[in-house]
Amino acid sequence: KRPAQPMQWGPWQNCGSAVTGRDGMGIRIKDGEAWGRQSGGSWQKIEDVSGAVAPGGDPLAFLAAIKNVEEISEFGIGNSDFGNTPATRPSPPATRYTFDIDGPAFAEHLRGQLERQLRQTGKLPPNLTLETPRQYVKMTGSGEVWISADGLPLRLQVHLSLPPQRGGERVEADITTDFTHF
């Protein structure tokens, strides 16, 4: 199921950074539509790219394939942890967990999810199955998740390494998702 709340993120190109504001590209997903802009430019509608960083539009999908989970610590969340947190909001306790991502389990999760969607819409006959996405079978990754005392996710950070491409290029991604407004 796609998140009801809008998603927005800002990847940096050509060694740009949030500090300099140079070479930034903003992307936001709202009401199923994707919009993008270059540093300070106007928002323009683009092809939906949420699946590239949040499979199926769900950043928590990565948790379907975690292993080696370790509790790191319980801590109070400060106002500086989330830039949009009002200063009057209390600092609730949260627990941090680290984990590894199991590529084959993640690939199987995505395959099953897509099969269910296609069957529900009548686009996949009952006697056919989809192939497991190969690029995810050999994917490796690790991450950290913060869980509130209420059991809700507060932050998810993942580092993913996809297998080398035909030209030998390696693709790696660092994705941080903050969850607010429950």
Side-chain angles (χ1 to χ4, degrees):
K1 183 176 174 184
R2 296 181 72 93
Q5 296 294 322
M7 289 191 291
Q8 184 168 327
W9 63 96
W12 301 98
Q13 303 169 329
N14 304 322
C15 299
S17 77
V19 175
T20 66
R22 199 184 97 230
D23 294 326
M25 183 178 114
I27 300 171
R28 72 177 171 199
I29 310 296
K30 185 175 182 181
D31 300 325
E33 292 185 338
W35 299 82
R37 72 175 177 183
Q38 293 292 325
S39 297
S42 61
W43 290 101
Q44 297 179 8
K45 192 171 180 177
I46 59 174
E47 185 177 326
D48 184 2
V49 295
S50 62
V53 295
D58 179 10
L60 294 174
F62 294 109
L63 298 181
I66 61 175
K67 62 182 182 178
N68 304 325
V69 177
E70 264 187 61
E71 182 177 327
I72 298 302
S73 63
E74 185 173 298
F75 63 104
I77 298 171
N79 291 329
S80 63
D81 292 320
F82 296 98
N84 60 355
T85 303
T88 57
R89 186 173 174 184
S91 296
T95 304
R96 291 172 50 209
Y97 298 91
T98 61
F99 54 84
D100 293 323
I101 296 175
D102 181 325
F106 185 68
E108 184 57 28
H109 171 74
L110 289 182
R111 185 201 60 75
Q113 189 177 43
L114 184 56
E115 261 188 24
R116 281 188 295 283
Q117 279 180 326
L118 292 173
R119 280 205 204 320
Q120 289 173 351
T121 59
K123 295 179 181 175
L124 184 68
N127 56 342
L128 291 179
T129 59
L130 299 176
E131 186 176 314
T132 304
R134 292 180 195 169
Q135 70 269 27
Y136 294 118
V137 170
K138 294 184 179 182
M139 178 184 77
T140 60
S142 60
E144 182 176 305
V145 63
W146 299 0
I147 304 294
S148 73
D150 296 335
L152 297 172
L154 298 172
R155 175 171 283 173
L156 175 66
Q157 296 173 292
V158 294
H159 173 81
L160 304 172
S161 296
L162 293 167
Q165 305 297 308
R166 286 188 179 163
E169 296 175 344
R170 295 203 48 89
V171 175
E172 294 192 18
D174 290 297
I175 304 166
T176 299
T177 306
D178 289 331
F179 300 89
T180 59
H181 301 82
F182 288 108

